[in-house]
Amino acid sequence: MKLETLSLENYRNFSHLKLDFTASLNILIGNNAQGKSNLLESIYLLAYSKSPRTSNLNNVVKHGFQITRIEGEVCNNEIKKELVLLIDSGNKHLFVDKKIVELKQYLSNLHVIFYVPFSTLIYGFPRERRRYLDRAIVSLDKKYLHAIASYNRILKMRNALFKSKYNEREMESWNEQFINYAVIIWKARQEYIENLCKKVGQLKPIFFKENDEIEIGLKTTPQLSLEKKRWAEEVKYCMEMQKEREKQMGFTIIGPHRDDMVILLNNYDARYFGSSGQLKAMVILMILAQLNMFHEEYEEYPLLMCDDIDTELDAMKLNAFLSSLSSMVQVFLTTTQNNLAETLKDAVVYQVHEGVVEKIRKG
Ligand SMILES: Nc1ncnc2c1ncn2[C@@H]1O[C@H](COP(=O)(O)OP(=O)(O)OP(=O)(O)O)[C@@H](O)[C@H]1O
Ligand SMILES: [Mg+2]
């Protein structure tokens, strides 16, 4: 999967921009507040018609304007397509090869993985790890998005019922669906994590010693047994036991919205015992594993975007990371450091300055 060109019109701090990218490594260099992260965000928007930074699409429209246009030419298994996302007064319109399409048809044309900094992935709130997990699962299984949306809708209904006139019958009718979607989500998350753990284990020698052990697990509330087919029953029982407590607290205390991902290094929680170098190495392995899982599913690699990479990885780790990537992965790095481009000699380099981008090295 490659993004060959990108055009922006009245998007964030860009007025008009047209760029072409290399199929391998693209580096965007610029001082703070010049538009580097905006540019990566625009690629994410082009892929998913959603921003990773804001749920209000009006925020991505250049101040003082009403319409934003993001256009890109993508190449997927040697088939080229032109994608357009048009945002007009908060409404989005999607086009593939100049024909207006529904979201469903639009979504499979471009995939992007964001490098999540270790400060977020390891030290961040559980909500951030759940988001990381869910994005990774959705990129492999679109149906999962429906399960998440349905679960969240029912969770909201349940919580509203606790706060208004509590009605036992109505609650029971929600509970059945709640358990159904909770189990779908848990199974998907558990399966993803098992696969992730296996892949991370295979990649481990890049950064760790042979006898170092990395384990990634899903922490659920309630704690579930190893027998997946008993989960619905187990949750039902727990909900019954916690009914009075939930009523007292006024919100749902059981379910995948409480999940967390736990990372153990040599049997100890990496958050409290891992060195920052080890944690960064762990994140790199997780990204590499994610790319491999995507490739197994689609025989293609998604785009990889790493924002502010110089604040996350030193030159040695970055080099180890980049040289472990398949040459088929198209990468976009942003940095404020000019010297990064000097160490990465094959990269195409772009200078981002006040919403204007200039290719300063052809690679
Ligand atoms: N809708 C918008 N219209 C106009 N300008 C915007 C809009 N949204 C954000 N900006 C501006 O875009 C500029 C660039 O932001 P961006 O986050 O891309 O910077 P950056 O180059 O990644 O900087 P840093 O190195 O600090 O991360 C900022 O000055 C920001 O205020
Ligand atoms: Mg930035």
Side-chain angles (χ1 to χ4, degrees):
M1 220 166 247
K2 307 283 184 283
L3 179 66
E4 296 188 337
T5 64
L6 177 73
S7 309
L8 304 174
E9 302 255 336
N10 297 327
Y11 161 79
R12 296 259 193 208
N13 65 328
F14 295 95
S15 297
H16 306 281
L17 176 82
K18 188 156 173 64
L19 284 179
D20 55 82
F21 296 116
T22 177
S24 43
L25 179 56
N26 299 273
I27 302 183
L28 307 162
I29 297 182
N31 291 336
N32 295 132
Q34 303 303 310
K36 302 181 300 297
S37 300
N38 290 347
L39 220 144
L40 295 191
E41 181 199 34
S42 75
I43 299 174
Y44 190 95
L45 270 156
L46 186 70
Y48 301 116
S49 77
K50 274 201 319 196
S51 162
R53 263 161 85 182
T54 171
S55 54
N56 182 356
L57 280 180
N58 283 319
N59 293 343
V60 311
V61 180
K62 188 174 167 74
H63 295 322
F65 289 82
Q66 197 185 326
I67 301 178
T68 284
R69 185 185 161 93
I70 303 174
E71 180 184 325
E73 289 168 306
V74 301
C75 184
N76 205 339
N77 279 326
E78 293 180 17
I79 298 169
K80 292 193 185 214
K81 282 189 186 164
E82 180 203 85
L83 307 182
V84 174
L85 165 65
L86 199 76
I87 300 163
D88 183 352
S89 317
N91 297 314
K92 59 185 174 191
H93 307 279
L94 307 166
F95 301 83
V96 176
D97 290 337
K98 303 202 167 23
K99 285 196 202 85
I100 193 148
V101 293
E102 299 285 321
L103 186 64
K104 247 196 325 212
Q105 295 158 275
Y106 185 83
L107 282 183
S108 46
N109 292 299
L110 182 64
H111 279 289
V112 166
I113 289 183
F114 252 109
Y115 186 102
V116 185
F118 83 106
S119 51
T120 308
L121 194 60
I122 312 274
Y123 291 131
F125 292 113
R127 149 167 48 89
E128 287 166 311
R129 283 184 287 279
R130 286 195 296 271
R131 191 184 300 150
Y132 159 85
L133 251 183
D134 288 343
R135 276 191 189 157
I137 299 170
V138 168
S139 74
L140 301 175
D141 175 13
K142 295 216 171 46
K143 292 196 299 294
Y144 182 71
L145 201 57
H146 174 256
I148 289 282
S150 306
Y151 176 81
N152 286 335
R153 185 174 47 83
I154 297 163
L155 178 66
K156 222 164 143 184
M157 295 295 199
R158 271 191 111 242
N159 288 342
L161 201 56
F162 282 125
K163 292 204 166 57
S164 60
K165 279 194 215 117
Y166 183 84
N167 174 322
E168 193 83 36
R169 267 242 182 104
E170 201 181 332
M171 187 55 89
E172 269 169 27
S173 72
W174 286 121
N175 284 356
E176 203 175 315
Q177 293 186 59
F178 178 86
I179 294 172
N180 176 35
Y181 286 113
V183 170
I184 293 175
I185 293 169
W186 276 322
K187 282 186 180 161
R189 286 182 181 169
Q190 182 66 36
E191 205 174 291
Y192 182 84
I193 285 183
E194 279 165 17
N195 205 356
L196 180 73
C197 206
K198 205 164 81 194
K199 296 267 179 321
V200 164
Q202 290 158 0
L203 294 160
K204 195 180 68 175
I206 304 174
F207 293 111
F208 291 90
K209 293 195 292 287
E210 192 51 46
N211 57 351
D212 277 331
E213 273 186 45
I214 300 172
E215 259 180 87
I216 305 169
L218 181 68
K219 188 169 150 232
T220 60
T221 313
Q223 202 179 350
L224 297 162
S225 72
L226 293 174
E227 275 183 80
K228 292 191 177 107
K229 57 177 189 292
R230 291 198 50 217
W231 285 359
E233 230 176 275
E234 288 169 16
V235 182
K236 196 169 175 196
Y237 175 76
C238 256
M239 283 172 82
E240 196 53 41
M241 301 301 288
Q242 298 284 352
K243 199 158 83 181
E244 290 309 314
R245 200 162 152 242
E246 274 196 326
K247 271 201 256 178
Q248 263 172 19
M249 298 187 69
F251 57 85
T252 306
I253 57 175
I254 282 172
H257 62 290
R258 308 275 315 269
D259 281 359
D260 198 0
M261 211 165 70
V262 185
I263 303 172
L264 303 181
L265 180 61
N266 295 326
N267 293 321
Y268 292 101
D269 193 325
R271 250 174 311 181
Y272 309 120
F273 299 100
S275 74
S276 74
Q278 284 173 323
L279 299 180
K280 288 172 186 179
M282 206 104 80
V283 173
I284 294 176
L285 296 186
M286 285 165 77
I287 301 280
L288 293 173
Q290 196 182 346
L291 287 165
N292 289 352
M293 282 156 85
F294 189 94
H295 186 259
E296 272 177 14
E297 187 70 26
Y298 300 108
E299 294 181 4
E300 274 277 2
Y301 283 103
L303 273 50
L304 175 65
M305 305 205 287
C306 314
D307 203 7
D308 299 322
I309 197 68
D310 54 289
T311 59
E312 177 79 4
L313 302 179
D314 60 28
M316 216 167 86
K317 272 229 163 43
L318 179 60
N319 267 311
F321 175 37
L322 294 176
S323 53
S324 316
L325 281 176
S326 155
S327 61
M328 300 299 290
V329 183
Q330 188 181 25
V331 185
F332 296 83
L333 304 181
T334 77
T335 175
T336 52
Q337 305 295 324
N338 286 325
N339 58 7
L340 189 76
E342 281 147 34
T343 52
L344 300 169
K345 297 244 178 306
D346 297 333
V348 172
V349 184
Y350 303 82
Q351 179 81 52
V352 186
H353 183 69
E354 293 180 357
V356 176
V357 183
E358 192 192 343
K359 196 190 277 188
I360 54 170
R361 196 175 80 194
K362 291 204 168 114

